[in-house]
Amino acid sequence: MVELNCETDFVARNDTFKRFVDHVSRIVLHYTDLTEFDGDLWKLGFDSEALKNLETPQGGSLADHLALLIGAMGENASIRRALCFKVNNDLRLAGYAHPAPTNVSTTQNITQVGKYGAIVAFRSQHDVDDHEIQKGICQQIVGMKPLKVGEYGKDVPAENKDDETCLIHQEYLLDADKTVGEVLKENAIEIVDYHRFECGERTQRDIKEIIRAQQQNSN
């Protein structure tokens, strides 16, 4: 997942900006594909500077390409962050961006563009992927912002279901008669890890920088 920002909705909906989002995503994917690792799941985060320093097959860095985009659009834009998941063995990945496109039959090999996004690493006992279930779990993460997957026997459901922060105990958005955990069991799916992006949200790094600045001002 990558986060790019611009100043207006007009530019965010512009095909030139969307193509640049696709371009940045594929550059990050290229570097992810080059990574070899032991284990089941590998994750790497990029901050803005690291992303802008990535060299592209077309020549120049992403910072150079961003400058060209800004010149062409006449509006400031930024490449803020990225998070890469890569899986081995029996793990699989699912992703979703909201709002989702309504005019495509599949999202395979398509860069999804939206204000919110989720990526999920999971195991499934089924050989054939159920993309609708995977999409539903991603939508749950986007819409309900769980803080963790949760564990049965360790994490107790919240008294008020609207306050629930464990994914498995949350009411499933697509079927209010079931919890997410029940849906996962029915479909023989185990969530190993996930992450959620929201454009413009404060990250842990942002919070640390704010605290550091406040401490410096108080000295």
Side-chain angles (χ1 to χ4, degrees):
M1 287 193 297
V2 301
E3 179 184 351
L4 284 78
N5 303 113
C6 56
E7 295 180 330
T8 64
D9 289 340
F10 175 78
V11 167
R13 293 192 296 264
N14 185 281
D15 286 341
T16 300
F17 183 77
K18 289 181 179 179
R19 283 193 295 269
F20 187 70
V21 174
D22 177 78
H23 174 58
V24 174
S25 300
R26 293 183 187 277
I27 295 298
V28 174
L29 179 61
H30 168 71
Y31 282 96
T32 303
D33 284 341
L34 295 176
T35 302
E36 295 183 2
F37 70 101
D38 295 323
D40 295 336
L41 175 64
W42 174 86
K43 298 190 295 182
L44 178 66
F46 290 87
D47 64 14
S48 179
E49 289 304 311
L51 284 168
K52 289 189 290 186
N53 286 330
L54 292 179
E55 295 295 323
T56 70
Q58 296 86 354
S61 66
L62 280 180
D64 298 326
H65 293 202
L66 175 64
L68 293 174
L69 174 77
I70 292 172
M73 301 297 299
E75 178 176 309
N76 195 28
S78 62
I79 307 172
R80 189 181 183 211
R81 57 176 172 162
L83 179 66
C84 308
F85 275 33
K86 190 173 183 179
V87 293
N88 274 337
N89 304 321
D90 59 345
L91 257 65
R92 307 179 199 179
L93 294 175
Y96 171 77
H98 181 82
T102 57
N103 58 346
V104 296
S105 58
T106 178
T107 56
Q108 295 297 308
N109 202 35
I110 293 175
T111 299
Q112 303 178 59
V113 180
K115 185 176 180 181
Y116 309 89
I119 186 169
V120 178
F122 67 97
R123 288 188 177 90
S124 174
Q125 296 179 18
H126 300 302
D127 293 331
V128 179
D129 283 341
D130 187 329
H131 295 294
E132 286 304 309
I133 290 294
Q134 295 169 20
K135 178 181 176 181
I137 298 302
C138 290
Q139 288 175 322
Q140 182 80 26
I141 292 167
V142 165
M144 299 305 293
K145 299 195 289 188
L147 299 180
K148 59 181 178 179
V149 176
E151 295 180 44
Y152 289 109
K154 179 180 178 181
D155 295 299
V156 179
E159 291 185 10
N160 185 341
K161 64 181 181 181
D162 294 332
D163 297 331
E164 185 57 69
T165 58
C166 287
L167 178 63
I168 59 172
H169 294 316
Q170 286 183 339
E171 183 180 278
Y172 189 43
L173 287 177
L174 302 183
D175 187 345
D177 292 331
K178 299 178 181 179
T179 65
V180 175
E182 290 170 340
V183 173
L184 294 174
K185 284 184 177 180
E186 288 176 3
N187 292 275
I189 293 174
E190 175 195 359
I191 304 299
V192 175
D193 203 354
Y194 69 88
H195 202 86
R196 177 187 185 275
F197 267 11
E198 179 176 341
C199 284
E201 68 183 347
R202 283 184 177 177
T203 64
Q204 288 297 321
R205 181 170 183 168
D206 294 332
I207 295 171
K208 289 179 181 178
E209 289 179 353
I210 291 171
I211 294 173
R212 188 181 302 115
Q214 291 173 341
Q215 291 173 340
Q216 289 174 348
N217 292 334
S218 62
N219 292 335

